[in-house]
């Protein structure tokens, strides 16, 4: 299988505090990798290093064989390949759903208005929100806003999608609709790295689960391996709290 993201000896410190302490991993085309671990273990920092939102202190991240942290790399071009969805939906509040989705692709991908609207419609259909195309974010529920955020990320036609706890800020009854959209995306073959506390989703959708603790991948495996027979004491301890 093609390696889409290769991480080698990735370290990151903020001041004197080490946050990532040497992460190695390879993510393959169409793979869904869920990252779990305690709060403060470095999950968000790891994800942000993958698309260069965060500098690395050491080591390398290659995305499609391009070095993310090499100053010679065209980071904007690289980021266009990588969609990201955050815990907070951060849609532009004064723009409609259509405008939120089309703003970036119209600029970067040089689409005409008609092309952009057609693509937005397609994406909204996919996330089940076509009827909201002219609504404003504050007219939508949290779950709907997060689905728009996913559609917006997809509008750039990324080859990789990163999710950082996309359902953590949602009321419980809205979690399912967002996970369903993510699952559909996974089934279409999108390469995905998902930081999540939704262990049910990880078990059902992930090809591989990484357990991060104190800036290290303590253990990784298939969901069955990791959830049903964790090898490391730290993994067991964490799972006993969240399962
Ligand atoms: P997680 O997502 O697993 O909760 P984070 O990656 O957000 O963990 O944070 C890991 C550690 O790095 C935490 O101790 C956090 O306080 C610290 N940290 C994260 N971002 C910054 C920053 N910009 N400046 C200083 N410390 C940070
Ligand atoms: Mg985090």
């Amino acid at each position: 299988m093609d390696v889409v993201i290769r991480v080698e000896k990735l370290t990151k410190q903020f001041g004197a505090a080490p946050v990532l302490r040497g992460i190695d991993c390879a993510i393959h085309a169409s793979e869904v990798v869920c990252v779990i671990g305690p709060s403060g273990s470095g999950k968000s920092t790891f994800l942000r290093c993958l698309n260069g939102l965060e500098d690395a202190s050491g080591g390398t991240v290659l995305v499609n064989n391009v070095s993310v942290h090499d100053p010679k790399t065209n980071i904007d071009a690289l980021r266009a390949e990588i969609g990201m969805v955050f815990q907070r939906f951060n849609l532009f509040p004064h723009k409609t759903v259509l405008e939120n989705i089309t703003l970036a692709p119209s600029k970067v991908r040089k689409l005409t208005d008609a092309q952009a609207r057609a693509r937005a419609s397609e994406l909204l259909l996919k996330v089940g929100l076509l009827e909201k195309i002219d609504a404003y974010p504050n007219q939508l529920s949290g779950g709907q806003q997060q689905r728009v955020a996913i559609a917006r990320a997809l509008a750039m036609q990324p080859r990789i999608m990163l999710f950082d706890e996309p359902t953590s800020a949602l009321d419980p009854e809205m979690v399912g609709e967002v996970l369903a959209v993510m699952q559909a995306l996974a089934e279409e073959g999108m390469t995905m790295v998902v930081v999540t506390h939704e262990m049910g989703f990880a078990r059902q959708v992930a090809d591989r689960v990484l357990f991060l603790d104190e800036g290290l991948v303590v253990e990784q495996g298939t969901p069955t391996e990791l959830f049903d027979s964790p090898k490391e004491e730290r993994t067991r301890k964490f799972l006993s709290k969240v399962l």
Side-chain angles (χ1 to χ4, degrees):
M1 258 196 304
D2 296 347
V3 173
V4 179
I5 304 176
R6 186 178 294 286
V7 179
E8 283 174 348
K9 300 190 177 70
L10 175 65
T11 60
K12 174 69 185 178
Q13 50 198 59
F14 291 107
V19 172
L20 301 179
R21 298 189 297 143
I23 296 202
D24 292 286
C25 78
I27 293 161
H28 301 86
S30 296
E31 201 177 17
V32 178
V33 174
C34 282
V35 181
I36 64 171
S39 178
S41 57
K43 304 180 300 297
S44 295
T45 304
F46 170 63
L47 214 58
R48 292 163 60 83
C49 282
L50 296 185
N51 67 352
L53 280 180
E54 207 72 78
D55 288 334
S57 303
T60 51
V61 176
L62 300 178
V63 172
N64 296 319
N65 284 319
V66 175
S67 172
V68 174
H69 299 102
D70 184 335
K72 291 196 284 290
T73 295
N74 179 345
I75 193 72
D76 291 332
L78 191 114
R79 284 213 192 108
E81 306 287 316
I82 309 175
M84 188 157 183
V85 176
F86 301 88
Q87 186 172 344
R88 295 274 161 198
F89 342 111
N90 53 41
L91 298 174
F92 304 115
H94 303 298
K95 299 203 180 291
T96 65
V97 165
L98 172 69
E99 290 162 348
N100 265 280
I101 294 175
T102 56
L103 199 65
S106 302
K107 271 190 196 151
V108 179
R109 303 278 194 203
K110 314 260 187 273
L111 301 181
T112 66
D113 285 355
Q115 284 170 325
R117 189 176 177 104
R119 183 176 299 167
S121 301
E122 223 172 90
L123 291 167
L124 284 169
L125 195 63
K126 190 194 280 252
V127 302
L129 288 172
L130 185 51
E131 77 280 8
K132 301 292 186 191
I133 191 163
D134 295 313
Y136 284 88
N138 67 6
Q139 298 171 310
L140 306 179
S141 71
Q144 290 172 333
Q145 289 184 47
Q146 194 61 308
R147 285 188 281 153
V148 172
I150 294 172
R152 180 174 65 174
L154 291 175
M156 293 295 285
Q157 298 187 303
R159 295 167 63 179
I160 301 165
M161 284 285 286
L162 309 178
F163 294 88
D164 193 357
E165 298 195 33
T167 60
S168 294
L170 297 177
D171 291 333
E173 72 271 22
M174 292 167 189
V175 169
E177 66 194 59
V178 173
L179 294 180
V181 166
M182 292 166 61
Q183 179 162 7
L185 200 57
E187 283 164 5
E188 284 175 17
M190 179 63 80
T191 306
M192 294 169 45
V193 184
V194 183
V195 174
T196 188
H197 293 294
E198 295 292 331
M199 299 300 150
F201 176 85
R203 186 185 275 278
Q204 205 183 338
V205 181
D207 297 299
R208 199 146 49 95
V209 181
L210 304 188
F211 171 61
L212 219 70
D213 194 18
E214 297 181 355
L216 284 172
V217 177
V218 170
E219 184 166 357
Q220 59 171 301
T222 64
T224 311
E225 286 166 351
L226 200 101
F227 290 125
D228 295 342
S229 40
K231 293 190 184 68
E232 301 292 332
E233 181 54 33
R234 277 198 278 172
T235 317
R236 281 198 285 272
K237 204 167 150 203
F238 174 73
L239 291 175
S240 74
K241 288 185 203 149
V242 297
L243 286 180

